[in-house]
Amino acid sequence: MFKYSILALVLVSGNAFAAIDWASCEKIGHDHGTFTTSICETKDDCNERFSDMPDDLARCMARIKTPEDCEKEVEERNAEVETKNLLYRCPATDTLISQKNAEKVHANHHLVYDNGEKINIDDLIADTENVYVFKATAGLSGIFGKGQYYVVGPADKDGLFMSVFPE
């Protein structure tokens, strides 16, 4: 039992060492919502996809929205993305610098500053005093990024410029 207690202590303290001190970070931007009315199903879409499946066709038809309701849903989804997918500027620490240079797994081309101006990723990468951390909790990034965040760093050969770092 003592052996497992020591192992647990080492793992917990290792994770605490790697954690970001969010209090020292400043929120500077967010992900710009890119949902459009194409997310809403239409009668033609339903008929095309489910013409041979009456139960699925009925469910699809029940989800059809008016143009006004569709616009409202798009606005709500974009607002959620913009308030929950955030970009932070954090002081450069050894841990964050190592993550900045780690293998890249993601790219986000819709980041904007809080004033709405598009972010130039090259400027973030060139900054040697800070490291930029993207945390997503909404939309597709939120679904696939639960329990992790991304550190912006030099782009790889595929154009990816974010490395994943578990919380």
Side-chain angles (χ1 to χ4, degrees), residues 44-58:
D44 290 340
D45 292 337
C46 292
N47 284 323
E48 183 179 314
R49 292 190 351 240
F50 302 113
S51 62
D52 298 343
M53 299 174 267
D55 291 342
D56 292 338
L57 178 60

Side-chain angles (χ1 to χ4, degrees), residues 28 87-89 100 111 113 119-133 152-154 161-162:
I28 63 163
L87 181 68
Y88 298 89
R89 176 178 41 231
K100 183 176 181 175
L111 294 174
Y113 288 107
I119 289 178
N120 183 338
I121 295 299
D122 293 333
D123 292 344
L124 305 186
I125 293 167
D127 187 345
T128 58
E129 294 182 17
N130 300 290
V131 174
Y132 296 85
V133 179
V152 175
F161 54 82
M162 292 181 168

Side-chain angles (χ1 to χ4, degrees), residues 74-142:
V74 167
E75 286 177 26
E76 289 170 355
R77 284 183 157 187
N78 283 332
E80 181 182 23
V81 164
E82 294 178 5
T83 58
K84 293 186 176 181
N85 294 355
L86 307 176
L87 181 68
Y88 298 89
R89 176 178 41 231
C90 302
T93 63
D94 290 341
T95 300
L96 286 176
I97 290 171
S98 71
Q99 290 306 311
K100 183 176 181 175
N101 296 315
E103 178 184 2
K104 304 305 183 268
V105 297
H106 186 65
N108 184 323
H109 300 287
H110 304 289
L111 294 174
V112 295
Y113 288 107
D114 286 334
N115 67 7
E117 181 183 332
K118 186 170 174 45
I119 289 178
N120 183 338
I121 295 299
D122 293 333
D123 292 344
L124 305 186
I125 293 167
D127 187 345
T128 58
E129 294 182 17
N130 300 290
V131 174
Y132 296 85
V133 179
F134 176 68
K135 178 70 175 139
T137 59
L140 289 177
S141 293

